Amino acid sequence: HEKEVAKNQEALDQATAIREKQLAEFNAEEKDLLESISALKAAVTVLSKHHSSMLQVPRTHMLGIAATIQNVLQRHASLLSGVLTPSERRSALAFVQAPQDYFDA
């Protein structure tokens, strides 16, 4: 009986350790996603403020926005597949590949 209890306790301890590791991984991923969302919100704000005159957005900012979007699209492709429509994804990829097309250089 004591061996069975010890065996069950060991299994419980292992399961707890696994769950704690999974929780830490989830928290890290969640933090990364929230930071990515903030970066994308900032990009949307910049783009929406300057939509009629993208010339005002410095090239370095536009390239930074494109790099951020590309990073998010690559790192979180599986999560975004259920969020972005194919059209939205194509638009984002087009911007990433040629941000200069979205403003007069």
Side-chain angles (χ1 to χ4, degrees):
H1 178 68
E2 288 180 23
K3 285 183 180 181
E4 186 176 337
V5 170
K7 183 179 175 184
N8 288 340
Q9 185 62 47
E10 182 181 338
L12 179 62
D13 292 344
Q14 288 177 352
T16 300
I18 290 170
R19 296 300 178 261
E20 287 173 352
K21 180 181 176 201
Q22 289 173 335
L23 177 61
E25 290 170 354
F26 170 81
N27 287 336
E29 181 73 15
E30 181 183 40
K31 180 182 176 194
D32 186 46
L33 284 171
L34 291 173
E35 289 171 356
S36 296
I37 289 168
S38 293
L40 288 173
K41 283 182 180 178
V44 168
T45 299
V46 168
L47 291 173
S48 64
K49 284 182 181 179
H50 300 291
H51 186 280
S52 63
S53 179
M54 291 299 273
L55 180 61
Q56 296 174 7
V57 178
R59 180 174 172 76
T60 55
H61 289 185
M62 192 63 65
L63 295 176
I65 292 167
T68 298
I69 292 172
Q70 182 177 27
N71 183 328
V72 170
L73 289 173
Q74 288 174 346
R75 291 178 65 188
H76 307 296
S78 61
L79 294 171
L80 292 173
S81 67
V83 176
L84 295 177
T85 66
S87 175
E88 291 169 334
R89 181 164 171 72
R90 280 192 302 274
S91 294
L93 289 173
F95 175 76
V96 165
Q97 292 172 357
Q100 68 279 2
D101 291 351
Y102 290 81
F103 68 104
D104 298 326

